[in-house]
Amino acid sequence: MKLSAKLILFITGSKLAVVLLFVVSLPFLVNGIVSEYISYSLRQQQDKVIRIVHKNGVNYYLQGDNSYGSYTMLKEEYIALEPSAAQLRIDTIKTAKRVVERDTLNYRILMHTFNYEGKNYLLEIGKTTASINQYNKPLQRIALYVLMGLIAFSLLFDLLFTRSLIRPLGKIIRSRLTDRKFPFKQHSAPVRTSTYDFKYLDESLVLLMEQINEAFEKEREFTANASHELMTPISILQNKMENLIGDERLNEEAVIKIVDMMKTLNRLKKISSSLLLISRIENEQFVKTDQVKPEALIAEVLDEISHRLEEKSLDISVQLHARVILKDVNHDLLFQLFYNLINNAIKYNVRAGSILIKDQLLSPNSYLITIQDTGIGIATEELPYIFDRFRKTNLKENVGYGLGLSIVKSIAAYHGIDIKVSSTLQKGSSFKLLFTKFG
């Protein structure tokens, strides 16, 4: 999963958790807010009554009676004023029951004592809890709507901000990893970002690529030089041994030893030639200007190697489209690629086995060639390493893949060919070569 997706999921999950927590606590919050508001409202009414008393006198309410009481038509609110004991001091707000015209109702009641002209009075102002609670649901609904709107807005903002924040990381991945192929020859400009961590990552990747290129160039240069320099002494030794064999003074035993030495020398010559070929391919010293028909190319390979098919009584079937043309390729390199693969299919096949070479047009720009044999196969644990140089298998037959498949891999990489291998021991192997933009 991408980093941006993980961040969005985390942000969304955390906000949903906040929403859930808010919804659970919303009734308590609204009740608290309404309660505080009612308490504030009762205090305002208290201050108003006391101001009127100090301005107009207490008789403004009592009008000659011992007490005063008034309530609204629906009994939602009431006010009461009466004399109280001189030592009584009350200033509180609480919920209690009151009887109003034979109806017992729950009220939120403010009780406050005050002194006027040397006398103590008790003021009560009440509001029914039912009228208070009627505001709860609308307030909860409004609060929920506001919260959902804020959450949606914040999610949109977080999405845009997250994408903007990690956009440099995506550019780094594309420019340094996804869109780059080894060896890294092109030097792209640094990714512009204000985030120090991304700058450090970009600079580190550039430095790492330069170090890899430097090490690769040194290895390639050494391989090319060593292979090239070895060819001269090998050729000299080979000529001298050929001359020794022609010497009539040598006995048969000496000649046999020299012949064995020449075989070893010839094997060394082939290794040097293969390493030199790989080096030249990796240095892109071959031009890709040829147009090749796979059917004709395979026919050339089989014409050169047909005698080996007869030696093992192998049956080969070629099923290729005649009109397919591979453009901008190197004929000799592709010949070497197919020669090595078909040669391996023959070499590691069973007697009287078979080889199938077929192709498939996957799309206008995708062309697949499959080389399948009924040979001894390759162990599953060996498959990831068969293209490595000098890699040997652990089969009882003591066969190996040497440099042949390394050359195949180098030629394929040079032409942008994707190779996939599948194999089963004692049943055979299948090499699939996928050409893209072939014609």
Side-chain angles (χ1 to χ4, degrees):
M1 185 181 293
K2 291 186 176 181
L3 177 61
S4 58
K6 287 187 176 181
L7 287 174
I8 293 301
L9 285 177
F10 174 76
I11 292 171
T12 304
S14 62
K15 291 189 182 298
L16 288 177
V18 171
V19 170
L20 180 61
L21 180 62
F22 184 81
V23 169
V24 172
S25 59
L26 186 59
F28 304 99
L29 294 175
V30 171
N31 285 337
I33 294 172
V34 171
S35 178
E36 289 296 322
Y37 173 74
I38 294 302
S39 298
Y40 173 78
S41 177
L42 292 174
R43 290 295 182 186
Q44 292 293 103
Q45 288 181 281
Q46 166 198 316
D47 293 342
K48 182 179 179 181
V49 169
I50 292 175
R51 283 198 304 271
I52 291 174
V53 168
H54 282 87
K55 180 180 181 180
N56 300 323
V58 72
N59 281 330
Y60 179 84
Y61 287 102
L62 296 180
Q63 294 183 359
D65 295 333
N66 291 330
S67 63
Y68 168 79
S70 175
Y71 52 86
T72 60
M73 183 180 296
L74 298 177
K75 307 172 186 177
E76 292 180 346
E77 296 181 4
Y78 82 91
I79 181 171
L81 181 63
E82 61 182 13
S84 65
Q87 69 275 14
L88 184 63
R89 293 290 184 270
I90 299 176
D91 186 19
T92 184
I93 298 175
K94 64 180 182 178
T95 301
K97 292 182 179 181
R98 290 292 185 269
V99 179
V100 180
E101 290 187 345
R102 294 177 294 183
D103 289 335
T104 303
L105 302 173
N106 285 324
Y107 285 90
R108 184 73 174 165
I109 302 171
L110 177 145
M111 302 178 68
H112 177 72
T113 57
F114 66 94
N115 188 276
Y116 179 74
E117 293 182 351
K119 292 184 179 181
N120 209 36
Y121 294 92
L122 174 63
L123 173 65
E124 280 193 13
I125 303 173
K127 188 175 182 66
T128 58
T129 55
S131 63
I132 295 173
N133 293 334
Q134 69 182 352
Y135 300 109
N136 287 10
K137 289 187 177 180
L139 286 174
Q140 291 180 29
R141 189 161 51 248
I142 292 172
L144 191 59
Y145 290 158
V146 172
L147 176 66
M148 296 302 292
L150 291 175
I151 290 294
F153 175 77
S154 63
L155 277 176
L156 178 61
F157 177 80
D158 290 341
L159 176 63
L160 296 176
F161 177 75
T162 301
R163 287 187 175 180
S164 174
L165 180 65
I166 66 174
R167 186 177 292 117
L169 179 60
K171 290 181 179 178
I172 291 172
I173 293 174
R174 287 192 300 273
S175 62
R176 306 294 180 223
L177 302 175
T178 307
D179 298 336
R180 298 288 294 277
K181 290 185 178 180
F182 183 81
F184 312 112
K185 295 184 178 180
Q186 297 179 350
H187 297 280
S188 55
V191 175
R192 298 178 60 183
T193 174
S194 59
T195 305
Y196 173 77
D197 294 333
F198 291 157
K199 284 184 177 180
Y200 182 75
L201 175 63
D202 187 37
E203 293 171 357
S204 299
L205 285 175
V206 170
L207 180 61
L208 180 62
M209 289 176 178
E210 291 176 353
Q211 292 175 345
I212 292 173
N213 269 345
E214 184 179 353
F216 177 72
E217 289 297 332
K218 289 181 179 179
E219 179 192 356
R220 190 162 60 179
E221 183 180 355
F222 171 78
T223 302
N225 292 338
S227 301
H228 184 269
E229 294 300 326
L230 280 173
M231 293 302 292
T232 301
I234 288 174
S235 298
I236 293 173
L237 286 173
Q238 194 172 27
N239 289 333
K240 288 184 176 181
M241 289 181 182
E242 288 175 354
N243 291 333
L244 282 174
I245 291 176
D247 192 343
E248 297 179 353
R249 292 174 295 176
L250 292 178
N251 56 35
E252 184 178 354
E253 183 179 356
V255 171
I256 293 174
K257 290 182 178 180
I258 293 174
V259 170
D260 290 337
M261 292 171 62
M262 287 186 66
K263 289 181 180 178
T264 303
L265 193 63
N266 188 51
R267 189 158 55 248
L268 179 59
K269 185 177 182 179
K270 287 183 179 180
I271 292 175
S272 298
S273 298
S274 298
L275 288 173
L276 187 59
L277 175 61
I278 293 173
S279 178
R280 291 183 62 195
I281 295 171
E282 291 175 345
N283 282 308
E284 299 183 2
Q285 295 180 7
F286 293 89
V287 295
K288 294 185 289 185
T289 57
D290 300 330
Q291 293 187 10
V292 175
K293 285 188 175 182
E295 184 186 42
L297 183 63
I298 298 298
E300 291 180 32
V301 173
L302 294 179
D303 184 57
E304 185 168 328
I305 208 170
S306 59
H307 64 282
R308 299 203 57 195
L309 293 168
E310 297 174 358
E311 290 174 1
K312 298 187 74 171
S313 302
L314 297 177
D315 177 49
I316 186 164
S317 174
V318 180
Q319 304 172 10
L320 300 177
H321 290 81
R323 296 183 180 180
V324 174
I325 298 177
L326 304 176
K327 297 180 180 179
D328 298 326
V329 296
N330 185 282
H331 174 276
D332 294 336
L333 289 182
L334 288 186
F335 179 91
Q336 185 70 39
L337 181 148
F338 285 108
Y339 182 92
N340 286 354
L341 290 178
I342 296 174
N343 183 58
N344 281 348
I346 296 172
K347 183 177 180 180
Y348 304 121
N349 214 322
V350 296
R351 187 166 190 81
S354 63
I355 299 173
L356 173 63
I357 304 174
K358 62 179 181 179
D359 64 359
Q360 185 179 0
L361 290 167
L362 301 178
S363 70
N365 293 323
S366 296
Y367 175 64
L368 180 69
I369 293 181
T370 302
I371 300 176
Q372 185 175 341
D373 64 63
T374 58
I376 59 177
I378 307 169
T380 303
E381 62 271 15
E382 296 288 343
L383 284 176
Y385 312 105
I386 62 173
F387 294 107
D388 294 352
R389 298 176 190 179
F390 305 109
R391 181 74 183 189
K392 295 289 184 178
T393 66
N394 295 321
L395 296 177
K396 293 180 180 179
E397 289 83 354
N398 194 27
V399 298
Y401 300 94
L403 290 171
L405 289 180
S406 295
I407 294 174
V408 168
K409 185 66 175 180
S410 298
I411 295 173
Y414 184 54
H415 285 85
I417 304 170
D418 184 26
I419 299 181
K420 293 184 179 179
V421 185
S422 59
S423 184
T424 304
L425 284 176
Q426 309 307 325
K427 289 187 178 180
S429 304
S430 175
F431 286 77
K432 296 180 181 291
L433 292 85
L434 180 63
F435 295 78
T436 55
K437 300 180 181 178
F438 64 94

